[in-house]
Amino acid sequence: MHEVWVNTQVLHARSNSIRIEAWKICFAGSGMMLEEFELTSLMSRPDLPRIAATINATLEAERQRRQRFRADLTPSVKAEFIAGQMVMHSPAKAKHLRVTDNLVSLLRHYVIANQSGEVFTEKALICLTRNDYEPDVCFFNAEKAATFDGDTMEFPAPDFIVEVLSDSTAHRDRGVKFDDYALHGVKEYWIIDCDAESVEQYILPNGRTNYDLAHKLTEGPIESIVVSGFRIPVIALFDTQENQQALRSILEA
């Protein structure tokens, strides 16, 4: 049996009518996503008020747990709040850290040189409608970045996110995060596989809430559609010498 969770942005309950907006039903572990549930059938059920009350009670309890999660979170702990539960992360492997550092070095230097926005890594808490994430790498355009001050700790949806796969996080990076980032308008999402030395580049078309796979690359260049002009060799993410050469190219441009 698949675990079922409901992510609903707006649920209004009134005396004789209930209005459900921006809802999503996911079958965790199966990868299935139903955009158009049988809403007509649901709205005609005689036990609809009970269903709504159950959802409201669940979301209220979840909201309180989320508040406690944020209050207790410390800089020394990498954790996320997903579907009502706190998810703790174990220390990353060397290969994960190296690939993340290689990308951040290139992206941050490029963004600074071009005054494109701001790049954060790992400990930036991205607060979406239901869930809180700490992506491996995220980029905010200049307009969004200008709204952050030195004390900002809770961030909106970035424009570009990168997750580096690990054994313990791959199912979320390809599952709930993949869906949630798209739902919240993250225009570009890269998934990097250290073992396969590959990069999957996903793009969010205008007006859509699900990604298209633009490229899956193991060689050649990859170019961001969000960070204008940011174009690097894929190998520069996995090879130190190639990374240094790519960095020199950015600094000399």
Side-chain angles (χ1 to χ4, degrees), residues 11-40:
L11 181 63
H12 299 290
R14 296 177 179 171
S15 56
N16 295 317
S17 66
I18 295 177
R19 194 160 58 93
I20 299 176
E21 297 178 356
W23 49 267
K24 187 75 64 173
I25 294 182
C26 300
F27 293 83
S30 71
M32 294 177 62
M33 177 76 74
L34 300 183
E35 291 284 353
E36 298 295 337
F37 187 61
E38 295 178 357
L39 187 56
T40 301

Side-chain angles (χ1 to χ4, degrees), residues 189-230:
Y189 181 34
W190 291 8
I191 295 178
I192 300 179
D193 188 326
C194 300
D195 295 324
E197 295 192 350
S198 66
V199 183
E200 298 167 32
Q201 181 184 31
Y202 294 93
I203 304 301
L204 186 66
N206 290 334
R208 290 260 301 277
T209 57
N210 57 293
Y211 287 120
D212 285 342
L213 176 63
H215 302 286
K216 182 174 181 179
L217 301 170
T218 57
E219 60 184 7
I222 184 168
E223 183 169 0
S224 171
I225 61 102
V226 166
V227 186
S228 180
F230 181 67

Side-chain angles (χ1 to χ4, degrees), residues 2 25 81 87 96 111 136 139 169-170 173 179 212 239:
H2 297 302
I25 294 182
F81 189 85
V87 178
H96 183 285
V111 166
D136 290 319
F139 164 81
T169 66
D173 295 338
D179 296 327
D212 285 342
D239 183 276

Side-chain angles (χ1 to χ4, degrees), residues 107-108 110-112 114-128 133-149 152-162 181 184-188 224 226-228:
L107 181 59
R108 181 167 285 150
Y110 181 86
V111 166
I112 291 172
N114 291 274
Q115 299 182 335
S116 304
E118 193 157 10
V119 178
F120 292 128
T121 181
E122 298 227 347
K123 287 300 295 174
L125 188 67
I126 306 303
C127 302
L128 304 185
Y133 303 110
E134 291 187 339
D136 290 319
V137 183
C138 59
F139 164 81
F140 297 92
N141 66 32
E143 183 178 359
K144 286 184 184 177
T147 67
F148 308 149
D149 61 32
T152 300
M153 293 181 64
E154 298 176 3
F155 297 90
D159 299 282
F160 172 34
I161 286 178
V162 181
Y181 293 162
H184 287 83
V186 178
K187 292 295 186 182
E188 184 171 5
S224 171
V226 166
V227 186
S228 180

Side-chain angles (χ1 to χ4, degrees), residues 95-107:
K95 60 185 178 181
H96 183 285
L97 296 173
R98 288 169 183 152
V99 168
T100 302
D101 287 347
N102 284 343
L103 174 59
V104 170
S105 176
L106 299 176
L107 181 59

